[in-house]
Amino acid sequence: MASQWGMTPRESIEGECARRGTRDVVANCVAILSGEAVDEAMLPVLAGPAAAQVLRGGAGSVTGYWPRVWAMRALLYAWDESARTVVVDSVNDGSWRVREMCAKVVARHCVDDALEAMVGLTNDPVTRVRQAAHRALVRLVEADA
């Protein structure tokens, strides 16, 4: 689905990868997911118009969970092996939205290091996280077959 500014998240991320390079985009996402300072110029790329509210201090501001959700979603479209550790570690994020997106990234990129973590997420209190973890496990098992 296209955003108000005419691009899907995938188009925005792929465009930024073409402009800055995939490694730089992934490094910015890893930094956000690791709790480092947020590159505020990157947020509109990750989130489109929704970033404006966060940059103004709303919705938890740049230290809230939305930048982590957007960074994890970006890893669906921009991938580098340097993101593996932060993806696996994100199964413990306090935000269910980050955990759900983490499972989607694991499934998309077959992050086999996350097998045990996905098993743990099948017991998550949030249904959407459990479902995403189950899909990731199926994908990991199919990829291993």
Side-chain angles (χ1 to χ4, degrees):
M1 179 159 108
S3 71
Q4 294 175 352
W5 56 303
M7 295 176 117
T8 64
R10 180 181 198 144
E11 291 168 339
S12 178
I13 297 304
E14 288 176 347
E16 193 67 6
C17 286
R19 191 175 77 74
R20 294 171 83 162
T22 300
R23 292 186 86 151
D24 187 56
V25 171
V26 171
N28 273 277
C29 292
V30 168
I32 291 168
L33 290 162
S34 299
E36 296 174 23
V38 173
D39 175 356
E40 293 185 6
M42 189 69 171
L43 286 186
V45 172
L46 299 176
Q53 182 180 10
V54 168
L55 289 168
R56 286 191 309 266
S61 76
V62 295
T63 60
Y65 65 86
W66 281 114
R68 296 191 316 276
V69 173
W70 300 329
M72 189 64 75
R73 179 179 66 191
L75 293 176
L76 288 170
Y77 312 118
W79 182 252
D80 183 88
E81 293 300 311
S82 63
R84 279 183 173 274
T85 300
V86 78
V87 168
V88 174
D89 291 346
S90 291
V91 299
N92 298 312
D93 196 281
S95 169
W96 68 266
R97 293 177 188 274
V98 175
R99 295 191 309 273
E100 177 190 21
M101 196 58 65
C102 169
K104 290 178 179 186
V105 170
V106 167
R108 167 77 52 94
H109 300 293
C110 292
V111 182
D112 53 359
D113 310 15
L115 181 67
E116 188 176 317
M118 291 300 104
V119 170
L121 281 186
T122 63
N123 295 313
D124 196 273
V126 178
T127 301
R128 286 173 52 168
V129 175
R130 291 192 308 270
Q131 290 170 338
H134 176 74
R135 285 189 296 273
L137 284 169
V138 168
R139 178 83 166 105
L140 289 172
V141 169
E142 286 175 350
D144 196 42

